[in-house]
Amino acid sequence: MGKEQNLIIGLDIGTTKICAIVGELNPQTEEVEVIGVGTYPSFGLKRGVVVNIENTIQSVKNAVEEAEHMAGCEIRTVFVGIAGGHIKGVSGHGMITIREREVARRDLDRVIESANAVLIPADREIIHVIPQDYIIDGQAGIKDPIGIYGIKLETKVHIVTGQVTAAQNLVKCIHGAGMDVADIVLEQLASSEAVLTEDEKEIGVVLIDCGGGTTDIAIFVGGSVRYTETVTLGGDNIDRDVALGLSTPLGEARKIKEKYGTALAELVSPDEEIEVPSVGGKHFRKVSRKDLAMVIEPRMEEIFALTKREIHKSGFEELVPAGVVITGGSVIMNGTVELSERILEMPVRMGIPTEVGGLTDIIANPVYSTGVGLVLYGAGYTGDKKLRIRDENVFKKIVDSMRNWFQEFF
Ligand SMILES: Nc1ncnc2c1ncn2[C@@H]1O[C@H](COP(=O)(O)OP(=O)(O)OP(=O)(O)O)[C@@H](O)[C@H]1O
Ligand SMILES: [Mg+2]
Protein backbone atom coordinates (compact mmCIF):
# COMPACT_ATOMS: atom_id res chain seq x y z
CA MET A 1 0.00 0.00 0.00
CA GLY A 2 1.42 3.39 -1.00
CA LYS A 3 2.11 5.97 1.65
CA GLU A 4 -0.53 8.37 0.33
CA GLN A 5 -3.25 5.78 0.97
CA ASN A 6 -2.50 5.86 4.68
CA LEU A 7 -2.86 9.62 4.89
CA ILE A 8 -5.99 11.24 6.28
CA ILE A 9 -6.36 14.99 6.02
CA GLY A 10 -8.57 17.15 8.22
CA LEU A 11 -9.43 20.64 6.97
CA ASP A 12 -10.90 22.95 9.60
CA ILE A 13 -12.37 25.98 7.86
CA GLY A 14 -12.87 28.21 10.89
CA THR A 15 -14.00 31.82 11.19
CA THR A 16 -10.57 32.90 12.47
CA LYS A 17 -8.15 30.43 10.94
CA ILE A 18 -8.06 27.67 8.37
CA CYS A 19 -6.01 24.69 9.32
CA ALA A 20 -5.01 21.54 7.47
CA ILE A 21 -3.79 18.55 9.44
CA VAL A 22 -2.14 15.54 7.82
CA GLY A 23 -2.49 12.32 9.80
CA GLU A 24 -0.71 9.11 8.96
CA LEU A 25 -2.45 5.88 9.84
CA ASN A 26 -0.18 3.08 10.96
CA PRO A 27 -2.11 -0.10 10.08
CA GLN A 28 0.04 -2.23 12.39
CA THR A 29 -0.42 -0.23 15.59
CA GLU A 30 -3.78 1.25 14.48
CA GLU A 31 -2.53 4.63 15.62
CA VAL A 32 -2.58 8.02 13.98
CA GLU A 33 0.45 10.27 13.82
CA VAL A 34 0.18 13.90 12.82
CA ILE A 35 2.95 14.55 10.28
CA GLY A 36 1.90 17.94 8.89
CA VAL A 37 0.09 21.05 10.12
CA GLY A 38 -0.66 24.20 8.11
CA THR A 39 -2.51 27.23 9.44
CA TYR A 40 -3.52 30.44 7.73
CA PRO A 41 -5.80 33.33 8.81
CA SER A 42 -9.37 33.06 7.54
CA PHE A 43 -10.93 36.08 5.78
CA GLY A 44 -13.99 34.63 4.10
CA LEU A 45 -16.26 33.43 6.92
CA LYS A 46 -18.82 34.96 9.23
CA ARG A 47 -20.21 33.09 12.24
CA GLY A 48 -18.82 29.78 10.95
CA VAL A 49 -20.27 30.10 7.44
CA VAL A 50 -18.47 30.85 4.15
CA VAL A 51 -19.48 34.31 2.87
CA ASN A 52 -16.57 34.98 0.49
CA ILE A 53 -15.51 32.10 -1.75
CA GLU A 54 -12.36 33.67 -3.25
CA ASN A 55 -10.87 34.70 0.10
CA THR A 56 -11.62 31.28 1.54
CA ILE A 57 -10.04 29.44 -1.41
CA GLN A 58 -6.89 31.53 -1.00
CA SER A 59 -6.59 30.78 2.72
CA VAL A 60 -7.33 27.09 2.15
CA LYS A 61 -4.57 26.93 -0.48
CA ASN A 62 -2.08 28.60 1.86
CA ALA A 63 -2.89 26.34 4.80
CA VAL A 64 -2.81 23.20 2.65
CA GLU A 65 0.48 24.16 1.01
CA GLU A 66 2.14 24.57 4.39
CA ALA A 67 0.82 21.20 5.60
CA GLU A 68 1.93 19.49 2.36
CA HIS A 69 5.36 20.98 2.70
CA MET A 70 5.75 19.81 6.27
CA ALA A 71 4.43 16.30 5.57
CA GLY A 72 6.12 15.93 2.19
CA CYS A 73 2.91 14.82 0.48
CA GLU A 74 0.26 16.01 -1.92
CA ILE A 75 -3.20 16.61 -0.46
CA ARG A 76 -6.04 15.55 -2.73
CA THR A 77 -8.97 14.64 -0.49
CA VAL A 78 -10.01 16.16 2.83
CA PHE A 79 -12.46 15.64 5.66
CA VAL A 80 -14.00 19.05 6.24
CA GLY A 81 -15.92 20.50 9.16
CA ILE A 82 -19.25 22.30 8.98
CA ALA A 83 -20.73 24.69 11.56
CA GLY A 84 -22.92 27.73 11.94
CA GLY A 85 -26.33 28.84 13.14
CA HIS A 86 -28.01 26.99 10.25
CA ILE A 87 -27.14 23.58 11.73
CA LYS A 88 -30.00 21.79 13.48
CA GLY A 89 -29.83 18.63 15.54
CA VAL A 90 -33.05 16.71 16.17
CA SER A 91 -33.99 13.35 17.64
CA GLY A 92 -35.43 10.78 15.31
CA HIS A 93 -36.89 7.31 15.47
CA GLY A 94 -36.93 4.43 13.03
CA MET A 95 -38.89 1.19 12.99
CA ILE A 96 -38.93 -1.92 10.80
CA THR A 97 -40.04 -5.53 10.90
CA ILE A 98 -37.23 -8.08 10.95
CA ARG A 99 -37.59 -10.51 8.07
CA GLU A 100 -35.60 -13.49 9.22
CA ARG A 101 -36.23 -13.25 12.97
CA GLU A 102 -32.55 -12.53 13.64
CA VAL A 103 -31.16 -9.01 13.26
CA ALA A 104 -28.64 -8.76 10.40
CA ARG A 105 -26.42 -5.89 9.36
CA ARG A 106 -28.75 -4.97 6.51
CA ASP A 107 -31.58 -4.58 9.04
CA LEU A 108 -29.51 -1.88 10.75
CA ASP A 109 -29.18 -0.07 7.44
CA ARG A 110 -32.92 -0.38 6.87
CA VAL A 111 -33.92 0.85 10.31
CA ILE A 112 -31.54 3.82 10.11
CA GLU A 113 -32.90 4.57 6.69
CA SER A 114 -36.45 4.51 8.04
CA ALA A 115 -35.40 7.10 10.65
CA ASN A 116 -33.79 9.01 7.83
CA ALA A 117 -37.13 9.34 6.11
CA VAL A 118 -38.19 12.28 8.30
CA LEU A 119 -39.60 15.29 6.55
CA ILE A 120 -36.92 17.86 6.00
CA PRO A 121 -37.43 21.05 4.00
CA ALA A 122 -35.96 21.14 0.49
CA ASP A 123 -33.35 23.74 1.47
CA ARG A 124 -31.87 21.44 4.14
CA GLU A 125 -29.77 18.32 3.81
CA ILE A 126 -28.93 15.56 6.26
CA ILE A 127 -25.31 15.66 7.44
CA HIS A 128 -25.38 12.86 10.03
CA VAL A 129 -27.82 10.19 11.17
CA ILE A 130 -26.22 8.77 14.31
CA PRO A 131 -27.84 5.71 15.90
CA GLN A 132 -27.96 5.89 19.70
CA ASP A 133 -29.83 2.82 20.88
CA TYR A 134 -31.71 -0.07 19.40
CA ILE A 135 -34.97 -1.49 20.70
CA ILE A 136 -36.00 -5.07 19.89
CA ASP A 137 -39.64 -6.02 20.60
CA GLY A 138 -39.84 -3.24 23.16
CA GLN A 139 -36.55 -4.12 24.88
CA ALA A 140 -34.61 -0.84 24.95
CA GLY A 141 -30.94 -0.02 25.48
CA ILE A 142 -29.44 -2.51 23.02
CA LYS A 143 -26.08 -1.32 21.67
CA ASP A 144 -25.24 -4.20 19.35
CA PRO A 145 -28.40 -5.85 18.03
CA ILE A 146 -26.83 -8.07 15.35
CA GLY A 147 -27.73 -11.73 15.88
CA ILE A 148 -30.55 -11.08 18.37
CA TYR A 149 -33.94 -12.68 17.67
CA GLY A 150 -36.97 -10.47 17.36
CA ILE A 151 -39.81 -9.23 15.21
CA LYS A 152 -39.74 -5.46 15.57
CA LEU A 153 -36.52 -3.45 15.42
CA GLU A 154 -36.51 0.22 16.41
CA THR A 155 -33.74 2.76 16.72
CA LYS A 156 -33.33 6.16 18.32
CA VAL A 157 -31.13 8.46 16.27
CA HIS A 158 -29.68 11.95 16.36
CA ILE A 159 -30.18 13.66 13.01
CA VAL A 160 -28.04 16.66 12.06
CA THR A 161 -29.19 18.79 9.15
CA GLY A 162 -27.72 21.92 7.58
CA GLN A 163 -28.51 24.41 4.89
CA VAL A 164 -27.75 22.90 1.48
CA THR A 165 -26.24 26.18 0.26
CA ALA A 166 -23.84 26.41 3.23
CA ALA A 167 -22.53 22.91 2.48
CA GLN A 168 -22.32 23.66 -1.23
CA ASN A 169 -20.27 26.81 -0.64
CA LEU A 170 -17.91 24.81 1.56
CA VAL A 171 -17.50 22.16 -1.13
CA LYS A 172 -17.03 24.87 -3.77
CA CYS A 173 -14.10 26.33 -1.81
CA ILE A 174 -12.41 22.95 -1.55
CA HIS A 175 -12.91 22.21 -5.24
CA GLY A 176 -11.66 25.72 -6.00
CA ALA A 177 -8.49 24.93 -4.08
CA GLY A 178 -8.06 21.81 -6.25
CA MET A 179 -9.18 19.11 -3.81
CA ASP A 180 -12.05 16.72 -3.20
CA VAL A 181 -14.22 16.21 -0.12
CA ALA A 182 -14.20 12.80 1.55
CA ASP A 183 -16.91 13.71 4.05
CA ILE A 184 -18.50 16.69 5.77
CA VAL A 185 -18.48 16.45 9.57
CA LEU A 186 -20.20 18.58 12.18
CA GLU A 187 -17.35 20.53 13.79
CA GLN A 188 -18.20 19.86 17.43
CA LEU A 189 -18.45 16.13 16.68
CA ALA A 190 -14.97 16.27 15.16
CA SER A 191 -13.64 18.15 18.21
CA SER A 192 -15.25 15.51 20.46
CA GLU A 193 -13.18 12.81 18.77
CA ALA A 194 -10.02 14.69 19.69
CA VAL A 195 -10.69 15.75 23.29
CA LEU A 196 -13.30 13.52 24.95
CA THR A 197 -12.55 10.13 26.49
CA GLU A 198 -14.78 7.11 25.91
CA ASP A 199 -15.54 7.09 29.65
CA GLU A 200 -16.76 10.67 29.60
CA LYS A 201 -19.05 9.97 26.64
CA GLU A 202 -20.41 6.87 28.40
CA ILE A 203 -21.01 8.62 31.74
CA GLY A 204 -22.44 11.78 30.20
CA VAL A 205 -20.51 14.91 29.20
CA VAL A 206 -20.97 18.28 27.50
CA LEU A 207 -18.48 19.49 24.91
CA ILE A 208 -18.25 23.25 24.29
CA ASP A 209 -16.09 24.42 21.37
CA CYS A 210 -15.72 28.18 21.69
CA GLY A 211 -14.08 29.52 18.54
CA GLY A 212 -13.95 32.90 16.83
CA GLY A 213 -17.39 32.99 15.22
CA THR A 214 -19.48 30.42 17.07
CA THR A 215 -19.70 28.38 20.25
CA ASP A 216 -20.71 24.81 19.40
CA ILE A 217 -22.21 22.34 21.86
CA ALA A 218 -22.46 18.53 21.80
CA ILE A 219 -23.91 16.41 24.61
CA PHE A 220 -22.98 12.73 24.96
CA VAL A 221 -24.79 10.24 27.19
CA GLY A 222 -24.43 6.46 27.17
CA GLY A 223 -21.67 6.59 24.59
CA SER A 224 -23.55 8.46 21.86
CA VAL A 225 -24.31 12.01 20.90
CA ARG A 226 -27.76 13.11 22.10
CA TYR A 227 -27.86 16.82 21.40
CA THR A 228 -26.07 19.37 19.21
CA GLU A 229 -26.59 23.12 19.24
CA THR A 230 -24.80 26.33 18.31
CA VAL A 231 -24.60 29.71 20.03
CA THR A 232 -23.58 32.32 17.45
CA LEU A 233 -21.16 34.17 19.70
CA GLY A 234 -17.40 33.72 20.03
CA GLY A 235 -14.03 35.43 20.22
CA ASP A 236 -14.96 37.89 17.44
CA ASN A 237 -17.51 39.46 19.79
CA ILE A 238 -14.87 39.87 22.47
CA ASP A 239 -12.56 41.56 19.94
CA ARG A 240 -15.28 44.08 19.07
CA ASP A 241 -15.97 44.75 22.76
CA VAL A 242 -12.26 45.33 23.40
CA ALA A 243 -11.95 47.63 20.35
CA LEU A 244 -14.89 49.70 21.55
CA GLY A 245 -14.05 49.57 25.24
CA LEU A 246 -10.40 50.55 24.81
CA SER A 247 -10.85 52.70 21.64
CA THR A 248 -8.37 50.69 19.62
CA PRO A 249 -8.49 49.20 16.07
CA LEU A 250 -10.14 45.77 15.77
CA GLY A 251 -6.94 43.98 14.70
CA GLU A 252 -5.06 45.44 17.67
CA ALA A 253 -7.92 44.49 19.97
CA ARG A 254 -7.55 40.84 19.05
CA LYS A 255 -3.79 40.91 19.58
CA ILE A 256 -4.16 42.63 22.96
CA LYS A 257 -6.84 40.13 23.99
CA GLU A 258 -4.68 37.16 23.01
CA LYS A 259 -1.61 38.56 24.78
CA TYR A 260 -3.04 40.14 27.93
CA GLY A 261 -6.69 39.08 28.12
CA THR A 262 -8.21 37.40 31.18
CA ALA A 263 -11.70 35.97 31.43
CA LEU A 264 -12.03 36.65 35.15
CA ALA A 265 -11.18 40.20 36.26
CA GLU A 266 -10.63 39.23 39.90
CA LEU A 267 -7.52 37.26 38.87
CA VAL A 268 -5.74 40.43 37.71
CA SER A 269 -4.02 42.91 40.00
CA PRO A 270 -5.18 46.51 39.42
CA ASP A 271 -1.68 47.96 39.04
CA GLU A 272 -0.59 45.95 36.02
CA GLU A 273 -0.57 48.26 32.98
CA ILE A 274 -0.43 47.61 29.23
CA GLU A 275 0.05 49.93 26.24
CA VAL A 276 -2.86 50.23 23.85
CA PRO A 277 -2.60 51.95 20.43
CA SER A 278 -5.32 54.51 19.70
CA VAL A 279 -7.56 54.38 16.63
CA GLY A 280 -5.44 56.00 13.92
CA GLY A 281 -2.39 54.37 15.47
CA LYS A 282 -0.37 57.50 16.24
CA HIS A 283 -0.06 57.22 19.99
CA PHE A 284 -0.35 54.74 22.81
CA ARG A 285 -2.30 54.96 26.03
CA LYS A 286 -1.74 53.10 29.26
CA VAL A 287 -4.65 50.90 30.32
CA SER A 288 -4.79 48.65 33.33
CA ARG A 289 -4.95 44.95 32.58
CA LYS A 290 -7.85 44.72 34.99
CA ASP A 291 -9.85 47.16 32.84
CA LEU A 292 -9.20 44.90 29.83
CA ALA A 293 -10.45 41.91 31.83
CA MET A 294 -13.54 43.87 32.86
CA VAL A 295 -14.39 44.33 29.17
CA ILE A 296 -13.84 40.63 28.40
CA GLU A 297 -15.53 39.06 31.43
CA PRO A 298 -19.15 40.07 30.74
CA ARG A 299 -18.97 38.73 27.17
CA MET A 300 -17.47 35.42 28.30
CA GLU A 301 -20.19 35.31 30.95
CA GLU A 302 -22.83 35.83 28.28
CA ILE A 303 -21.36 33.08 26.06
CA PHE A 304 -21.46 30.55 28.92
CA ALA A 305 -24.86 31.74 30.16
CA LEU A 306 -26.34 31.14 26.71
CA THR A 307 -24.59 27.78 26.58
CA LYS A 308 -26.06 26.90 29.97
CA ARG A 309 -29.51 27.77 28.66
CA GLU A 310 -28.99 25.37 25.74
CA ILE A 311 -27.84 22.59 28.09
CA HIS A 312 -30.97 23.19 30.16
CA LYS A 313 -33.19 23.18 27.06
CA SER A 314 -31.65 19.88 25.95
CA GLY A 315 -33.15 18.05 28.91
CA PHE A 316 -29.80 16.36 29.61
CA GLU A 317 -28.68 18.79 32.33
CA GLU A 318 -29.04 16.17 35.06
CA LEU A 319 -27.51 13.37 32.98
CA VAL A 320 -23.95 14.65 32.49
CA PRO A 321 -22.01 13.78 35.68
CA ALA A 322 -18.67 13.93 33.81
CA GLY A 323 -19.24 17.66 33.52
CA VAL A 324 -18.06 19.95 30.75
CA VAL A 325 -15.02 19.92 28.47
CA ILE A 326 -14.23 23.28 26.88
CA THR A 327 -12.07 23.66 23.79
CA GLY A 328 -11.48 26.04 20.84
CA GLY A 329 -9.21 29.09 20.77
CA SER A 330 -11.35 31.28 22.99
CA VAL A 331 -10.90 29.04 26.04
CA ILE A 332 -7.11 29.58 26.11
CA MET A 333 -7.62 32.81 28.00
CA ASN A 334 -6.58 32.70 31.62
CA GLY A 335 -9.54 32.28 33.99
CA THR A 336 -11.87 30.67 31.45
CA VAL A 337 -12.14 27.35 33.28
CA GLU A 338 -12.93 29.13 36.58
CA LEU A 339 -15.45 31.50 35.01
CA SER A 340 -17.24 28.76 33.07
CA GLU A 341 -17.46 26.54 36.18
CA ARG A 342 -19.07 29.41 38.04
CA ILE A 343 -21.62 30.15 35.31
CA LEU A 344 -22.41 26.57 34.28
CA GLU A 345 -22.37 25.24 37.87
CA MET A 346 -20.65 22.09 36.64
CA PRO A 347 -17.08 20.78 36.78
CA VAL A 348 -15.09 22.00 33.76
CA ARG A 349 -11.79 20.88 32.23
CA MET A 350 -9.92 22.18 29.21
CA GLY A 351 -9.84 19.83 26.20
CA ILE A 352 -6.59 19.60 24.24
CA PRO A 353 -5.91 17.02 21.49
CA THR A 354 -3.55 14.50 23.04
CA GLU A 355 -4.62 11.10 21.71
CA VAL A 356 -2.41 11.23 18.63
CA GLY A 357 1.31 10.91 18.04
CA GLY A 358 3.65 12.86 15.79
CA LEU A 359 3.79 16.64 16.04
CA THR A 360 2.36 16.66 19.55
CA ASP A 361 4.09 19.91 20.55
CA ILE A 362 2.23 21.83 17.86
CA ILE A 363 -1.18 20.24 18.11
CA ALA A 364 -1.48 20.24 21.92
CA ASN A 365 -3.52 23.42 21.64
CA PRO A 366 -7.31 23.86 21.80
CA VAL A 367 -7.38 25.64 18.41
CA TYR A 368 -6.47 22.29 16.78
CA SER A 369 -9.24 20.17 18.34
CA THR A 370 -11.48 20.30 15.27
CA GLY A 371 -8.65 19.68 12.78
CA VAL A 372 -7.22 16.73 14.72
CA GLY A 373 -10.74 15.41 15.33
CA LEU A 374 -11.46 15.46 11.60
CA VAL A 375 -8.38 13.27 11.04
CA LEU A 376 -9.52 10.85 13.78
CA TYR A 377 -13.04 10.78 12.37
CA GLY A 378 -11.60 10.10 8.92
CA ALA A 379 -9.47 7.28 10.28
CA GLY A 380 -12.58 5.69 11.78
CA TYR A 381 -11.17 5.85 15.27
CA THR A 382 -12.84 6.03 18.64
CA GLY A 383 -11.36 7.89 21.59
CA ASP A 384 -9.63 4.79 22.94
CA LYS A 385 -7.72 4.29 19.69
CA LYS A 386 -9.69 1.24 18.53
CA LEU A 387 -10.67 1.05 14.91
CA ARG A 388 -14.36 1.75 14.68
CA ILE A 389 -16.33 -0.73 12.65
CA ARG A 390 -17.73 1.77 10.25
CA ASP A 391 -21.06 0.83 8.78
CA GLU A 392 -20.05 0.95 5.14
CA ASN A 393 -23.58 1.28 3.85
CA VAL A 394 -24.44 4.17 6.11
CA PHE A 395 -21.18 5.78 5.12
CA LYS A 396 -21.99 5.24 1.46
CA LYS A 397 -25.39 6.78 2.00
CA ILE A 398 -23.81 9.90 3.45
CA VAL A 399 -21.44 10.13 0.54
CA ASP A 400 -24.35 9.60 -1.85
CA SER A 401 -26.31 12.40 -0.27
CA MET A 402 -23.26 14.63 -0.57
CA ARG A 403 -22.98 13.72 -4.22
CA ASN A 404 -26.47 15.12 -4.64
CA TRP A 405 -25.27 18.46 -3.35
CA PHE A 406 -22.27 18.36 -5.65
CA GLN A 407 -24.30 17.42 -8.69
CA GLU A 408 -26.98 20.01 -8.24
CA PHE A 409 -24.52 22.84 -8.49
CA PHE A 410 -21.26 21.66 -10.05
N1 LIG B 1 -3.99 32.94 23.50
C1 LIG B 1 -5.25 33.30 23.28
N2 LIG B 1 -5.93 34.02 24.19
C2 LIG B 1 -7.19 34.41 23.96
N3 LIG B 1 -7.89 34.13 22.86
C3 LIG B 1 -7.26 33.41 21.91
C4 LIG B 1 -5.92 32.97 22.05
N4 LIG B 1 -5.58 32.29 20.93
C5 LIG B 1 -6.66 32.34 20.13
N5 LIG B 1 -7.66 33.02 20.70
C6 LIG B 1 -8.98 33.34 20.15
O1 LIG B 1 -9.62 32.15 19.74
C7 LIG B 1 -10.49 32.44 18.67
C8 LIG B 1 -10.20 31.47 17.55
O2 LIG B 1 -10.44 30.18 18.00
P1 LIG B 1 -10.56 28.97 16.98
O3 LIG B 1 -9.31 28.88 16.17
O4 LIG B 1 -10.99 27.80 17.75
O5 LIG B 1 -11.75 29.53 16.06
P2 LIG B 1 -12.19 29.14 14.60
O6 LIG B 1 -12.21 27.67 14.50
O7 LIG B 1 -11.38 29.87 13.60
O8 LIG B 1 -13.65 29.75 14.56
P3 LIG B 1 -15.09 29.03 14.55
O9 LIG B 1 -14.91 27.63 15.03
O10 LIG B 1 -15.94 29.85 15.45
O11 LIG B 1 -15.54 29.12 13.13
C9 LIG B 1 -10.21 33.88 18.24
O12 LIG B 1 -11.22 34.72 18.76
C10 LIG B 1 -8.87 34.15 18.88
O13 LIG B 1 -8.68 35.53 19.17
MG1 LIG C 1 -13.56 26.17 15.05
Side-chain angles (χ1 to χ4, degrees):
M1 203 196 257
K3 189 187 170 203
E4 304 271 321
Q5 280 166 289
N6 290 333
L7 297 184
I8 303 128
I9 290 92
L11 185 66
D12 175 14
I13 301 189
T15 310
T16 315
K17 54 96 214 348
I18 293 183
C19 123
I21 297 195
V22 183
E24 186 173 22
L25 179 64
N26 182 332
Q28 266 86 51
T29 60
E30 296 192 349
E31 277 178 28
V32 169
E33 274 196 7
V34 172
I35 60 166
V37 178
T39 311
Y40 201 81
S42 175
F43 301 112
L45 275 86
K46 270 218 168 74
R47 307 251 150 270
V49 173
V50 175
V51 293
N52 184 315
I53 305 262
E54 263 323 301
N55 288 353
T56 305
I57 290 177
Q58 213 41 58
S59 297
V60 166
K61 279 185 175 165
N62 289 324
V64 164
E65 231 167 71
E66 189 187 340
E68 283 178 327
H69 192 72
M70 200 186 284
C73 71
E74 196 192 329
I75 295 176
R76 296 196 195 97
T77 307
V78 296
F79 287 85
V80 67
I82 191 164
H86 63 99
I87 299 285
K88 283 201 173 63
V90 293
S91 301
H93 177 257
M95 189 181 84
I96 58 160
T97 307
I98 302 162
R99 285 180 190 144
E100 281 153 27
R101 314 245 0 242
E102 188 179 321
V103 177
R105 176 154 293 276
R106 63 177 179 282
D107 294 320
L108 300 192
D109 298 341
R110 279 204 300 135
V111 75
I112 291 166
E113 196 168 354
S114 75
N116 207 327
V118 288
L119 274 182
I120 53 165
D123 62 342
R124 303 188 71 78
E125 184 63 84
I126 291 178
I127 298 166
H128 298 285
V129 178
I130 305 155
Q132 299 169 336
D133 277 319
Y134 295 95
I135 305 152
I136 299 177
D137 295 342
Q139 174 71 51
I142 299 171
K143 287 264 174 238
D144 184 9
I146 291 177
I148 298 177
Y149 284 102
I151 296 166
K152 191 171 79 176
L153 175 66
E154 296 167 84
T155 183
K156 284 197 282 181
V157 294
H158 184 70
I159 303 174
V160 178
T161 68
Q163 228 159 44
V164 174
T165 47
Q168 283 169 334
N169 285 328
L170 207 55
V171 173
K172 191 169 180 177
C173 292
I174 292 164
H175 285 176
M179 298 174 297
D180 276 328
V181 178
D183 202 353
I184 296 181
V185 186
L186 185 65
E187 279 172 21
Q188 60 266 47
L189 293 184
S191 302
S192 311
E193 300 267 346
V195 302
L196 297 182
T197 67
E198 288 305 293
D199 281 348
E200 283 172 332
K201 288 191 240 179
E202 196 58 49
I203 295 166
V205 69
V206 180
L207 175 99
I208 302 175
D209 184 332
C210 187
T214 61
T215 297
D216 305 321
I217 306 161
I219 302 180
F220 291 80
V221 176
S224 355
V225 63
R226 307 282 157 170
Y227 190 78
T228 49
E229 191 49 79
T230 294
V231 171
T232 49
L233 288 178
D236 286 356
N237 299 87
I238 302 170
D239 299 347
R240 276 195 286 276
D241 295 343
V242 170
L244 273 172
L246 305 188
S247 304
T248 194
L250 198 54
E252 294 296 333
R254 184 192 288 178
K255 282 189 219 155
I256 291 165
K257 174 196 75 174
E258 291 182 2
K259 201 157 173 204
Y260 303 109
T262 312
L264 203 52
E266 68 192 50
L267 298 178
V268 192
S269 105
D271 32 58
E272 225 184 303
E273 286 192 323
I274 53 171
E275 293 214 314
V276 175
S278 63
V279 178
K282 287 280 184 292
H283 39 266
F284 286 80
R285 281 174 301 115
K286 280 199 189 316
V287 171
S288 88
R289 219 177 138 182
K290 198 174 187 83
D291 285 343
L292 172 64
M294 283 166 73
V295 173
I296 297 170
E297 186 179 313
R299 183 63 84 174
M300 289 296 270
E301 252 178 38
E302 184 191 14
I303 291 173
F304 287 110
L306 291 175
T307 310
K308 185 186 167 77
R309 201 169 72 183
E310 293 304 334
I311 298 168
H312 179 72
K313 258 177 36 195
S314 78
F316 289 102
E317 203 174 17
E318 305 297 326
L319 298 170
V320 285
V324 177
V325 178
I326 55 173
T327 196
S330 291
V331 313
I332 297 173
M333 216 153 25
N334 206 12
T336 304
V337 171
E338 295 88 330
L339 176 94
S340 57
E341 270 187 335
R342 203 175 285 178
I343 306 286
L344 297 168
E345 297 176 288
M346 286 190 226
V348 176
R349 75 166 176 91
M350 198 189 290
I352 290 168
T354 50
E355 282 301 295
V356 285
L359 303 165
T360 45
D361 291 357
I362 303 177
I363 57 161
N365 182 324
V367 301
Y368 292 126
S369 299
T370 305
V372 171
L374 285 166
V375 171
L376 292 173
Y377 180 95
Y381 268 60
T382 62
D384 56 3
K385 292 187 175 180
K386 295 250 169 54
L387 267 178
R388 179 191 300 138
I389 306 158
R390 203 203 274 282
D391 191 325
E392 289 299 334
N393 286 319
V394 172
F395 184 59
K396 187 176 159 290
K397 217 170 290 153
I398 295 165
V399 175
D400 283 350
S401 88
M402 284 201 322
R403 253 186 221 119
N404 293 338
W405 311 343
F406 303 162
Q407 274 161 5
E408 271 164 60
F409 278 74
F410 305 104

